[in-house]
Amino acid sequence: MRADARDNRARIMTAADDVFGRSPGASTDDVARLAGVGIATVFRHFATKTELLEAVLTLRLERIRDRALELAGSDDPGTAFFEFFTQVVSESASKLAIAEALTAAGAAAGEEAREAGRGMREAFSGLLTAAQKAGAVRADAEMPEVYALLIGASRGATAAKLDPETRDRMLALIYDGLKPRG
Amino acid sequence: MRADARDNRARIMTAADDVFGRSPGASTDDVARLAGVGIATVFRHFATKTELLEAVLTLRLERIRDRALELAGSDDPGTAFFEFFTQVVSESASKLAIAEALTAAGAAAGEEAREAGRGMREAFSGLLTAAQKAGAVRADAEMPEVYALLIGASRGATAAKLDPETRDRMLALIYDGLKPRG
DNA sequence: GTATAAACGGAGTGATGACTTCGAATATAT
DNA sequence: ATATATTCGAAGTCATCACTCCGTTTATAC
């Protein structure tokens, strides 16, 4: 692959991440314009708009998964779990599309993105069970509902455009529900 | 207003509520077809698609507000609060779809819908303070974060397509965080 | 430096969907 | 029953967007 082609591909990905992050309904032309390339170039690298969206989504999911895996090495599983949770939520609040990305991952996404979503959930599940073994999270909370909480908190924070203080107060309420009964 | 016109208007509203509740991206033609009227009739009653969406959204918000006001009369404020919360979350799927359609249509909610939303929030706030006075909800939880939880739970349940059991388990976690510390 | 294969951009194309127009149909007043 | 004012629906218009074609440019191998 020629050097300029690789450059352009990277620029398109970055632009798409930015544009679709701001408004999911944006057009392919918008992406091309921001990337500073012609529209044909976008379609040469990504055969369809869906393919482009999937590539961006996959990248985001993998980034989140990597952070989870990184935190999994921590020697304080409780802190690791809550820190990850908080980080995902606050990132989604600033970057409007992350919540939608999470949804799309579970729902009708292509194989690549679905795989990335699976990896992310697995990493999160690992954090959860470790935190439970350490006694930081109640043992009767299971993955499906805890994951639902994560998505819900993310989407809620984004949709309601919460300021950081309110967001933290909301998270504090959620965490109190997740901690073992005193 | 002629009788057939009023009839059609009602049929269009019902059809729109149904169609947009199912898929936010639906076209005006879809609505007309389900309502059994021509497309021009839809536009005669609602000048733009946005206007139609707003009418439907407003109706839904008012219905929720009425439910809250109804429960406000209860002599068990704690139960009333949690029952309302649960009900909103389980019914949220279609309401959110409509709200999403509205934002997708470009226009943020217009004055009418915004007013309905305000009324709904006020009614919810009343339920909350009553439940707190009755000792069923911790006193240090304030409206913004509790409302954020409501939105988050709704959006999360919808986005993750939770089955009822998981949804209830998620709500149980949230409610544990909202109850006074044991 | 030149050849050539690869990549580029911008002007199309076709489909879709919001909205309009206008002649046909129908409810109500007389 | 008839007049007429109002409503109806099907066939348009126009803008937008995903995607393609093709002549031009540019990186790299020799």
Side-chain angles (χ1 to χ4, degrees), chain A residues 2 8 37-41 44-45:
Chain A
R2 248 166 63 173
N8 274 338
V37 302
I39 178 124
T41 303
R44 196 167 308 107
H45 286 287

Side-chain angles (χ1 to χ4, degrees), chain A residues 54-75:
Chain A
E54 244 188 72
V56 171
L57 176 60
T58 302
L59 195 71
R60 290 209 178 185
L61 289 171
E62 284 173 349
R63 244 185 258 145
I64 297 176
R65 180 206 54 198
D66 289 348
R67 188 157 316 133
L69 290 175
E70 199 182 308
L71 281 167
S74 160
D75 53 351

Side-chain angles (χ1 to χ4, degrees), chain B residues 26-171:
Chain B
S27 72
T28 320
D29 297 29
D30 293 335
V31 175
R33 212 171 307 125
L34 181 62
V37 303
I39 179 137
T41 303
V42 174
F43 280 100
R44 195 166 311 106
H45 285 288
F46 304 92
T48 67
K49 185 185 189 182
T50 305
E51 202 173 289
L52 172 58
L53 279 166
E54 243 188 77
V56 172
L57 179 60
T58 301
L59 194 71
R60 293 233 170 178
L61 289 172
E62 284 174 349
R63 244 185 258 145
I64 296 176
R65 179 206 55 197
D66 290 348
R67 179 76 188 131
L69 289 176
E70 199 183 308
L71 281 168
S74 160
D75 53 351
D76 182 350
T79 307
F81 172 81
F82 289 115
E83 195 179 316
F84 176 75
F85 200 112
T86 304
Q87 220 170 68
V88 169
V89 171
S90 40
E91 278 167 20
S92 66
S94 46
K95 172 179 57 95
L96 286 178
I98 290 169
E100 233 151 81
L102 234 181
T103 34
E111 191 43 48
E112 205 186 20
R114 204 146 356 111
E115 168 62 28
R118 205 159 23 233
M120 194 269 264
R121 269 196 302 282
E122 255 162 46
F124 178 59
S125 177
L127 283 183
L128 173 61
T129 49
Q132 288 175 317
K133 276 206 182 101
V137 170
R138 51 197 285 183
D140 63 336
E142 276 166 47
M143 180 61 186
E145 60 261 28
V146 177
Y147 185 67
L149 267 183
L150 179 64
I151 295 191
S154 298
R155 296 190 89 96
T158 305
K161 293 206 212 323
L162 296 186
D163 54 300
E165 295 88 48
T166 308
R167 191 190 63 215
D168 289 345
R169 294 170 64 88
M170 177 189 78
L171 284 177

Side-chain angles (χ1 to χ4, degrees), chain A residues 70-86:
Chain A
E70 199 182 308
L71 281 167
S74 160
D75 53 351
D76 182 350
T79 307
F81 172 81
F82 288 115
E83 195 178 316
F84 176 75
F85 201 112
T86 304

